[in-house]
Structure formats: C-alpha cells, structure tokens
Amino acid sequence: MSEVGFPYLDELNEIQRQAVITTDGPIMVIAGPGSGKTRVLTYKIAHLLNTGVAPWNILALTFTNKAAKEMKDRIEKVVGPNAFKIWAGTFHSLFARILRVQAHKIGYPSDFTIYDTDDSKSVLKEIIKSLKLDTKVYNVSAIFSRISHAKSNLITPKSYATNEDLMAYDRINRRPMTQLIYDRYVKKCMRSGAMDFDDLLLQMFRLLYQNPDGVREKYQSQFRYLLVDEFQDTNYLQYEIIKLLTVYPDSNHNVTIVGDDAQSIYSFRGATIENILQFQNDFPEVQTFKLEQNYRSTQFIIQSANHIINFNKKQIPKKIWTDKDGGSKIKLIKAMTDSEEGRRVADTIIEQKNRYNLSNSQIGILYRTNAQSRVFEEHLRRHNIAYRIYGGLSFYARKEIKDMIAYLRLSVNHKDDEALKRVINYPRRGIGKTTIDQIALVANDNEISMMEVLTKVELKVRAKQKLLDFVKMIAAFKKKASASNAYDTALFIARQSGITDTLKSDTSIEGVSRLENLNALLDGIKEFADDDVLAPGEEVLDKSIGKFLQTISLMTDADNDDDQKESVTMMSVHAAKGLEFKSVFVVGLEENLFPSYMSLSSPDQVEEERRLFYVAITRAEEYLTLSYSNSRYHFGQMRFNDPSRFLEEIPEDSVDNITVMKSKTEKSPSSPFGKPKVLGGNFKPIGRRATKALPSVNAADFKPDSYTKIKEGMTVIHLKFGEGKVKSIDERDVATIHFEAVHDSPYKRIMLKYAKLQIVD
C-alpha cells in the first residue's frame, strides 16, 4: 500500500517504492536497462518535495539539459510548479550558476566568459604559433584533448610537469612542449577572464576545496539532498566535487546516486567505472537498491544480457529479469563480406517489416564505429529504405569524406569549381579567402573555370607560387587517374594531397574517427576496384575513379532526404545508450572491430567493450539480430576475421538457427553459468539454408595463377567467394563459375583477365 496522500507510489514496484521513500543518508540505486530508472529518480525528488523539503534544498545533477528538463516536467505533474524551483541541470550549467556568484573569491570576474571548443582551440592555435612549433605535430585538437584529460583528472600544469608518465608520453608522441602550452593556455584564460567547459568543473572544485569565506559550508547547508543521475558516467573530478559537497564535516550525507555499472561505456570521455564500484567504500553506511526488473525486452534478450555481462570481473552483482514471456530468439547473420552483410541486413529489415508490420522508426542499426555506416547506407538506399544517421552525418556528408571526394572530382574534371574551392586551401597551404575570391571573380568575368584562370591568366597575388604548386599537384592527380584504377588513384591523392597526414596528426577521439572514415572510404574504393564481376549490361570492366564517382553520385544525391520521413535509425552503440527499438541489428561483430583492436591489450578495456555490447543488445524490445562478416577491407587489404568473442558468450538456447561448433581459440573466461556455448562456427543464415564456411585462405600467401592456365572443369579459389568449379568459358574469356559457399546466386560470371583465381591442385 502507498502512504496516504502519495498515490504516485502505487505506480512503482516494491523495490522502486523503497528506493523512492528512503530519503536520508547515502543511497545507491543500481538500475538495470529498462528498469524504470528515470521514474524512480523523478518520483524520489517529488517525494522529497511532498514531505516538506524546500525545492532550493535539492540539487539534481544530470548529463544533459534534455534530461534535466524531462525530469522537471515529470515532477511538475506530481507536485506542480515547485518542480521548477529545484536546482536541476547539468554539472556544467549548475556549477556555472554558482561560479557567477562566487568566482571573484578565486580570482575570476563574476561576468567571466565561457569559451566553447572553437574559442579554446583558437587560443591554443595562437600559443602554438607563438612558440614556433610545427602545427602538424602539435595538432590543435590533439593538444586540446590532452589538456581536457588533464583537467578532468585534477592535474594542473605544475603537477603535469612533475608527472613523468605524462611527460614521457608527450616525448614519445614528439610533443614535449605540451606542458608549456597547457601552462600558457591556463594563464591566457585567466588573463582574459575566461573559463572553458572543463574549467567550470575544475574551478568549482577549487572554490569548494579552498573554501574561501566558508563557501563549502554554505552550499553543503543549502543542498541538503544531492541526487546524481547516470553516476557511472562521472569522471574523477565530478566525483571529487560530489564528495566535497557531501562528505566533509557538517555535511548531511544525503546523497543518492542512480546508475548501472554494466552500462559504464564512456572511459574515452574520462568517465571511470571505479566511481560507482568504490561508492560503498567511500560511504560505508550506504543503502543499496537494485532495480532488476526489465520492462523493455523479452526473455531471450534478457537471458543473453545476464549471461554476457557475467564474464566481467569488475561489476556489482545483479540479475535482470522480465515477465515478458515468449518472444523471438536472437537471429544471427553470417556473411562472407561486409558488402554481403549490408545487403542481408537490408533484406532482413524488409522481411521484418512485412512479417511483423514494423515501421522504419521501430528499427535501429548499431555499429561500433561510425565509419561502418557506409555499407549499410548503400544497401538501404538500393532498397529505397529511408534512414537517418543519429548523432552524426550520413557517411558521404562528413567533412573529411566531402574533402576527399572533392579531390577525386577535380582529378577527373578540372572545371569543377566547387570542388576546387573546397580543396584549394585544404590542407592549409597559405592560399587565403581574398585570393580565392579574386580567382572566382576573374573566372566569372571571363566565363571560364577557376582552374583555367590558374593556368592561363597572370594573377597579381602574393600566393602565386603556392597556386602554381597546387596546379602541378592537380595535374599529377589527373595523370594518375588516367593511368590507374580507382583505388590506386585515390590512395595516391590521399597521400600526396596531405589529407592523410593532416588527419593522422589529430590524435583526439574526433580526429581518430575522421581518419577511420577516410580509411573506410578508401576501403570502399578498393572493394569497387577489386570487384571483377561484370554488372548486367556491362561489356567492359571500368574501374576508373570516374566510374566510382558516377557510382556514388546517386547515393550522395539522396543526402537531402526529408528529415521528417519515417526512417530506420543508424548510430554507434555509444550514441544508442538510453534509446530503445522494437528491432535492433548489432552489426560488425568481429574480433578487432567489436571488441575494438584498441581494447585488446587491456583487460579493463575488454570489459568496457563487453559492457558496450551489453548496452547494444538491451536496446532491443522484441527482435534482436546480430551479424558479422568473414572478411572486409581494412586499409585496402582484404582481412579475414574471427567472430567476436562476445558471440561465444551467448547462451545456446537464446539463439535461433545456429550450428554450434568449437571455436579455434578459447577467448572467453569460464562462464559463471558453466562452460560457454560457442557460437563462433557456421551460423545458419536467417530464412535460408546453411552455408559452408569460407575456406581458410591467407591473403598474404594467396598467389593467383595466370588466367590463360584456367580451363573448364578446374577447381579454383577466389579470395571473396571461396572455392568454385569452372563450368564454362566463352570466347571473351568470361568464365561461369559455381561457388558452393555462396548461399544465393552461386553461379558467377567473371572476366578471367581480372579474376585473380588460384588453381587448386
């Protein structure tokens, strides 16, 4: 029964209710996926207000303004307008509010400026220039990321200088002056009366720690109740501030944290799982409530999630459950190539829409890296399935991709003024906007292209030599394009233009992502160049860069789809946290991709990758499909892949259409549920007969035979299609080959001259 006057408690299950009505002391609410976390948090605040706590005595910290607004809106429905008097918002916004009042006590003006990322990078650029440092080595984004990481870990410029690990890391990366840049950046911000986003936390900590005029006691007294949402996403600095507000003498310790250690996936942003794991040590008298009932997903999904996360050693034990009986088992798609994976995912989406009457908006495709979106975009477009990229741009709309495509366009068509304007000063080569505008004006007045201006008109500009160098470079690109296939041309342009070096110099998270996108484009071009199967109606294979640009033009033209259109959602798993879909596809489940190759050297990072997979599968309400590819292009080479270790950790009875076989390598530790069922073998594709696995062909050792030696009746091996039997060869040397491992359309017509086939003894 609910307490008299509090009917909203009737909407809660028993453990949720206890978490809401327990208000005093340290409280930890461990909220599994789909367990009603937001409802518990908002009702707890509403309950505090209803039991007489003043709204200004409540501090509720969130990670997004949207979450804070939704929280206030929900509370208002229970308690009325008092909801908007509580201190609820993001760490940054609420601390900025306090600093406006108190900043003068730590040497800042009350009307201090808040620098956004562009402002901060502009200051850093100026400092790097003043020190006469190589801007390619001392990349602004990388330096900014380094400073942000230091601040988030309470490392000042002075302590940075005495930290041998940090200094050694900078020396290894040829940036020994990073600490000096950091020091000058901090002093410059101070002189300018400015704080960046990290300073809003760092200076708040400083204000409370130094405690001028009893500031700490003032806010400890005001905020009698402190609540923190998504606590597993806090970084070291944020937790230290929370402890300053709640732990020191005279504090009331009324702190409630809500989160899930199993969904701690943001270490790259500075978040640390140690905060939630250590909370019980910092607050020994803590009361813990575990929200384990899942209201989102069906039994097979929940069973798999529990099984998978129990492979992690660092965790708070819990077992989520659901009363949603039945439901579909998990489906698995095994593809031979990433292109086939994209096609079969699109086919399965059509099948699910027809069979289960799903709308596009009820379907989500989740991948480990944004660069993976390309192949799925291409196949969704071919099927006229509307989609949107959540939290990012369509692959071909990303800046680094548009820059590279502009170079490719210019190498084919010198008269492409829009492409020229995009790349004439990228990477930066000292050709300013005034010069570019003058070239465009001359071109317009004389009704010629801008490239013709550069080659035929004598311009009186200071950047004359730089313009001549640019013209020579584009001429070299055109020559390469006319003599080489699309991939060799693109690789040459990526390197000679300076785009590759520019992206490599940015070692920030965003910079690494941009380089991954460029490599994904090059891999797509490599696949295009290596595809030696004649398309219907084609008489001659055309693998030129011009043909490739023609192929993708239809895709890039579709970038202007109406955003309001009913769309399939595509996103990285990191972006999917907090969302849910009726049907979820988790794709690219291969070793070195998911889990990421960057995580494999550290057990802690592998555990975070497993938490990321846990987050991915628990986004699904009813239908969960997992897919992987035997092979995909990586840095221009065909790479053969092992299935992800996480596939081996899924219980056998949760999965439909599989054949269980022993994995080549035992990657996973002993399961707490007994010996794991290995799913690393031959999966039966959805709705189709089982396929044979690709032959184990080492690409490095693969040596194609001369096409003149290939005769009818021979058995041959193709890197992509596996082993096949040559059925016939026509007068044009086009062979019809039956590839047994190809589950659909096993007969391929291949021009032998380009086929790269190895004869089997």
Side-chain angles (χ1 to χ4, degrees):
M1 280 183 66
S2 66
E3 298 180 16
V4 176
F6 305 136
Y8 52 85
L9 295 178
D10 287 332
E11 300 177 28
L12 306 172
N13 64 36
E14 182 55 30
I15 194 70
Q16 290 174 333
R17 181 179 176 278
Q18 289 301 319
V20 165
I21 65 175
T22 305
T23 57
D24 293 342
I27 298 162
M28 179 164 66
V29 180
I30 302 300
S35 62
K37 168 185 71 72
T38 304
R39 172 173 289 191
V40 167
L41 185 61
T42 54
Y43 279 18
K44 187 177 186 70
I45 295 171
H47 193 68
L48 286 170
L49 294 171
N50 275 340
T51 52
V53 178
W56 48 86
N57 290 145
I58 300 172
L59 176 64
L61 296 168
T62 66
F63 276 85
T64 65
N65 290 311
K66 180 183 177 183
K69 184 179 184 305
E70 288 178 353
M71 183 189 300
K72 289 181 179 179
D73 288 341
R74 288 194 186 196
I75 297 169
E76 184 190 22
K77 292 177 181 178
V78 180
V79 301
N82 258 359
F84 290 92
K85 296 179 182 178
I86 66 172
W87 280 59
T90 65
F91 284 84
H92 293 87
S93 64
L94 294 183
F95 294 167
R97 182 175 169 186
I98 293 172
L99 287 168
R100 288 292 180 202
V101 178
Q102 306 291 347
H104 65 282
K105 295 179 180 178
I106 53 173
Y108 277 89
S110 296
D111 58 350
F112 60 85
T113 299
I114 298 176
Y115 279 168
D116 63 16
T117 301
D118 288 340
D119 294 325
S120 296
K121 289 183 177 180
S122 178
V123 174
L124 287 170
K125 191 180 297 183
E126 181 184 321
I127 293 169
I128 292 168
K129 184 178 179 181
S130 71
L131 291 171
K132 296 181 171 55
L133 299 173
D134 186 342
T135 55
K136 290 184 178 179
V137 176
Y138 287 87
N139 178 277
V140 170
S141 295
I143 298 296
F144 175 75
S145 179
R146 191 78 172 144
I147 291 173
S148 176
H149 182 269
K151 288 183 177 181
S152 295
N153 285 279
L154 278 176
I155 300 170
T156 64
K158 186 175 180 180
S159 57
Y160 194 116
T162 60
N163 188 312
E164 183 52 36
D165 288 340
L166 295 177
M167 298 297 285
Y169 178 89
D170 292 335
R171 287 194 295 271
I172 291 170
N173 286 278
R174 301 188 299 124
R175 298 185 187 123
M177 305 291 279
T178 299
Q179 186 276 336
L180 178 59
I181 297 170
Y182 181 17
D183 184 59
R184 292 197 178 187
Y185 173 73
V186 169
K187 290 174 179 174
K188 171 69 172 174
C189 289
M190 193 78 178
R191 287 197 306 271
S192 302
M195 296 187 196
D196 61 22
F197 288 135
D198 294 308
D199 283 327
L200 295 175
L201 302 180
L202 185 61
Q203 299 306 330
M204 181 67 185
F205 172 85
R206 183 179 160 212
L207 177 70
L208 295 173
Y209 187 77
Q210 294 179 356
N211 196 28
D213 301 331
V215 169
R216 184 169 63 237
E217 287 78 6
K218 168 184 168 63
Y219 288 104
Q220 286 178 344
S221 176
Q222 176 178 338
F223 301 130
R224 291 176 49 211
Y225 293 89
L226 174 61
L227 301 97
V228 186
D229 191 17
E230 302 287 8
F231 186 74
Q232 78 281 348
D233 294 337
T234 55
N235 62 29
Y236 176 78
L237 177 53
Q238 287 165 326
Y239 188 27
E240 290 303 306
I241 294 171
I242 290 166
K243 287 192 281 189
L244 283 174
L245 285 169
T246 57
V247 173
Y248 275 58
D250 301 325
S251 176
N252 45 47
H253 289 210
N254 293 332
V255 54
T256 297
I257 65 164
V258 182
D260 182 8
D261 58 292
Q263 297 185 68
S264 178
I265 59 174
Y266 293 120
S267 66
F268 66 93
R269 294 181 186 169
T272 171
I273 192 176
E274 300 302 328
N275 288 352
I276 196 167
L277 296 179
Q278 294 298 319
F279 190 79
Q280 296 175 83
N281 295 334
D282 295 330
F283 296 87
E285 69 276 31
V286 65
Q287 299 180 74
T288 301
F289 301 92
K290 296 180 181 179
L291 308 184
E292 296 175 304
Q293 183 174 0
N294 178 286
Y295 293 93
R296 175 188 300 155
S297 306
T298 55
Q299 183 64 46
F300 293 117
I301 296 169
I302 296 303
Q303 177 181 330
S304 297
N306 277 326
H307 201 281
I308 290 160
I309 202 61
N310 272 285
F311 282 94
N312 274 7
K313 294 180 180 179
K314 287 188 174 182
Q315 62 171 301
I316 298 172
K318 62 181 175 300
K319 187 172 183 179
I320 57 175
W321 60 276
T322 180
D323 57 10
K324 296 174 72 172
D325 295 328
S328 298
K329 288 189 175 184
I330 298 169
K331 305 291 184 182
L332 290 131
I333 294 176
K334 171 187 173 181
M336 289 192 296
T337 66
D338 51 350
S339 180
E340 184 192 352
E341 181 187 24
R343 177 180 60 77
R344 294 184 60 194
V345 165
D347 288 344
T348 307
I349 287 174
I350 293 173
E351 179 186 341
Q352 288 187 350
K353 289 176 65 176
N354 292 333
R355 178 177 295 181
Y356 306 121
N357 198 31
L358 297 183
S359 63
N360 285 341
S361 62
Q362 292 177 307
I363 301 170
I365 299 175
L366 310 183
Y367 33 72
R368 179 62 183 82
T369 66
N370 285 315
Q372 290 172 254
S373 74
R374 177 189 63 83
V375 69
F376 298 100
E377 288 187 62
E378 291 178 3
H379 286 282
L380 291 177
R381 288 183 191 278
R382 290 174 189 174
H383 286 287
N384 289 320
I385 300 173
Y387 69 87
R388 69 185 181 112
I389 306 292
Y390 183 94
L393 294 169
S394 168
F395 182 82
Y396 288 103
R398 292 167 184 153
K399 180 186 180 301
E400 58 275 14
I401 301 304
K402 292 175 79 73
D403 290 337
M404 185 63 193
I405 294 295
Y407 269 113
L408 300 181
R409 284 165 47 185
L410 202 55
S411 70
V412 173
N413 175 17
H414 277 23
K415 295 184 178 181
D416 189 336
D417 285 353
E418 293 308 308
L420 184 146
K421 284 189 286 187
R422 187 173 188 94
V423 301
I424 191 171
N425 196 40
Y426 178 78
R428 293 185 183 276
R429 51 179 62 92
I431 301 173
K433 184 177 183 300
T434 302
T435 300
I436 298 171
D437 289 344
Q438 184 178 340
I439 296 167
L441 182 63
V442 174
N444 187 58
D445 289 345
N446 291 277
E447 297 185 350
I448 57 176
S449 71
M450 292 177 69
M451 183 61 80
E452 287 176 297
V453 173
L454 295 177
T455 56
K456 298 177 181 178
V457 179
E458 186 71 26
L459 294 171
K460 295 180 180 179
V461 293
R462 285 190 298 175
K464 187 174 181 179
Q465 185 57 49
K466 292 168 182 174
L467 291 173
L468 290 174
D469 292 341
F470 175 73
V471 170
K472 289 179 182 177
M473 180 179 69
I474 299 301
F477 293 170
K478 187 174 182 67
K479 182 178 180 181
K480 183 70 174 177
S482 64
S484 304
N485 67 25
Y487 176 71
D488 291 341
T489 300
L491 190 62
F492 179 79
I493 292 174
R495 291 172 175 171
Q496 297 301 316
S497 66
I499 286 182
T500 299
D501 288 341
T502 298
L503 295 179
K504 280 183 178 178
S505 69
D506 184 355
T507 55
S508 66
I509 295 296
E510 296 79 7
V512 171
S513 178
R514 284 190 283 268
L515 183 59
E516 286 178 347
N517 290 336
L518 176 64
N519 285 326
L521 174 65
L522 292 173
D523 287 340
I525 299 174
K526 176 67 170 173
E527 184 176 12
F528 165 83
D530 283 355
D531 188 357
D532 46 25
V533 180
L534 284 168
E538 264 191 358
E539 291 296 324
V540 180
L541 281 172
D542 183 356
K543 297 302 175 186
S544 68
I545 199 65
K547 178 67 174 179
F548 172 78
L549 290 170
Q550 178 185 326
T551 302
I552 67 166
S553 64
L554 296 175
M555 298 174 188
T556 54
D557 285 344
D559 284 341
N560 296 321
D561 285 345
D562 183 359
D563 288 338
Q564 303 305 312
K565 199 171 182 181
E566 172 77 14
S567 304
V568 170
T569 300
M570 297 173 60
M571 68 183 83
S572 70
V573 183
H574 283 102
K577 188 168 173 288
L579 302 177
E580 57 188 41
F581 300 91
K582 205 96 167 180
S583 174
V584 166
F585 292 78
V586 186
V587 299
L589 284 165
E590 299 136 33
E591 285 293 296
N592 296 312
L593 186 54
F594 199 172
S596 165
Y597 71 93
M598 292 187 290
S599 72
L600 299 183
S601 61
S602 164
D604 285 349
Q605 290 183 34
V606 171
E607 290 208 351
E608 176 156 333
E609 291 287 304
R610 185 174 286 108
R611 293 194 295 270
L612 191 60
F613 183 54
Y614 176 88
V615 167
I617 66 175
T618 55
R619 299 311 94 197
E621 296 176 9
E622 294 187 28
Y623 310 106
L624 175 61
T625 306
L626 310 177
S627 71
Y628 79 96
S629 168
N630 278 123
S631 63
R632 67 176 68 240
Y633 282 99
H634 187 67
F635 297 112
Q637 298 294 320
M638 177 71 80
R639 187 176 70 185
F640 293 89
N641 314 306
D642 288 329
S644 169
R645 67 189 67 194
F646 303 145
L647 291 174
E648 301 176 0
E649 298 168 0
I650 300 173
E652 178 185 359
D653 56 0
S654 293
V655 185
D656 198 10
N657 292 336
I658 65 164
T659 300
V660 180
M661 64 177 289
K662 185 170 179 60
S663 173
K664 292 178 183 177
T665 55
E666 200 69 35
K667 301 181 184 70
S668 301
S670 297
S671 166
F673 295 93
K675 188 176 180 181
K677 301 295 184 181
V678 179
L679 305 181
N682 296 340
F683 300 152
K684 294 180 182 178
I686 298 171
R688 301 183 187 271
R689 63 182 177 84
T691 66
K692 294 182 70 174
L694 273 175
S696 298
V697 181
N698 187 329
D701 297 334
F702 182 83
K703 294 180 180 179
D705 290 294
S706 169
Y707 76 94
T708 59
K709 295 180 180 179
I710 297 172
K711 309 296 181 186
E712 289 183 11
M714 281 185 170
T715 300
V716 295
I717 286 183
H718 187 280
L719 271 176
K720 184 188 296 184
F721 303 124
E723 189 174 290
K725 188 104 172 173
V726 181
K727 296 297 184 181
S728 65
I729 302 175
D730 67 17
E731 67 278 1
R732 296 176 302 161
D733 286 331
V734 174
T736 299
I737 305 176
H738 180 266
F739 293 99
E740 189 175 351
V742 180
H743 59 79
D744 60 345
S745 302
Y747 287 93
K748 302 290 182 185
R749 284 176 52 77
I750 297 178
M751 185 171 284
L752 291 177
K753 184 176 180 180
Y754 302 103
K756 297 178 183 175
L757 297 169
Q758 180 177 322
I759 299 170
V760 177
D761 292 334

